[in-house]
Amino acid sequence: MRRPLVLFATLFLLWVLVAQANHELSGFRVTLFLGGLFTVFAAIWLPRTEGLLTVFASGLLFDVGTPVWFGCHALLFSLAHTVIHHFRKRMPRDEAWVSVVVALLANLGIFLGVSFSAFHDLPAPTNVWPRLLTDLLLSQIVLALIAPWFFALQLKAFEITRVVLPAEEHSVR
């Protein structure tokens, strides 16, 4: 259980940093969404159960501060984890750019899932599309820029805590 705890600590740090960034960006009426970063490392490097537990818990953490039904992010993060975990043997996971591309795709899918789940509460959902597209574009750019740093931070957290990733789970086959 040490691997999920170490990974959750890094995800908690990311959650705090994104919340602070969104607070600072609120005056510009834009929001960052980096949900893809919450799923990729666990799906690529951890065994299925440990990764799913970590992503589900981080999804519940994400749900605390959002105006969607509780469990929405946890469900979407778990779904993204399951899909990525299923395809991870077919990708060169040791390449950093692969993780970034997977994070961008996961972020897009989760963003659209959250957006569509919140549409029924809006009086005029079509008026929201320009804002959503702006938020998505900004989020994807920021994610592409910080993903290598965040993945390195996660690997360093495992190194500092002397928690070993299972060799058979992260070697390219």
Side-chain angles (χ1 to χ4, degrees):
M1 288 303 293
R2 289 179 60 201
R3 285 188 294 244
L5 290 175
V6 171
L7 186 58
F8 185 79
T10 63
L11 295 174
F12 182 77
L13 175 65
L14 178 64
W15 178 73
V16 169
L17 292 173
V18 171
Q20 287 298 316
N22 282 333
H23 177 72
E24 294 299 322
L25 291 171
S26 64
F28 299 106
R29 291 187 167 81
V30 293
T31 304
L32 288 178
F33 182 81
L34 303 178
L37 284 179
F38 284 81
T39 60
V40 172
F41 191 89
I44 290 179
W45 298 101
L46 294 183
R48 181 186 352 253
T49 306
E50 290 179 4
L52 197 55
L53 173 70
T54 306
V55 202
F56 187 79
S58 66
L60 291 177
L61 176 68
F62 219 89
D63 281 329
V64 169
T66 56
V68 294
W69 49 275
F70 190 72
C72 177
H73 287 93
L75 177 69
L76 292 170
F77 285 10
S78 298
L79 180 63
H81 172 273
T82 303
V83 170
I84 296 166
H85 192 273
H86 178 73
F87 289 109
R88 77 183 189 168
K89 290 183 180 172
R90 297 181 186 122
M91 61 179 92
R93 296 172 282 165
D94 292 331
E95 299 289 333
W97 68 270
V98 172
S99 297
V100 174
V101 169
V102 171
L104 286 167
L105 292 172
N107 199 58
L108 174 64
I110 296 168
F111 183 88
L112 291 175
V114 170
S115 299
F116 285 126
S117 70
F119 270 2
H120 63 84
D121 293 335
L122 299 173
T126 56
N127 295 340
V128 181
W129 278 109
R131 163 78 188 267
L132 288 177
L133 291 175
T134 304
D135 287 352
L136 178 61
L137 181 63
L138 178 66
S139 297
Q140 295 291 74
I141 292 169
V142 170
L143 188 144
L145 291 174
I146 71 165
W149 165 81
F150 188 65
F151 294 143
L153 174 80
Q154 290 176 313
L155 285 171
K156 193 65 165 174
F158 279 98
E159 182 182 318
I160 290 171
T161 58
R162 294 188 179 110
V163 175
V164 179
L165 294 171
E168 69 277 357
E169 292 294 330
H170 65 82
S171 63
V172 178
R173 296 178 188 150

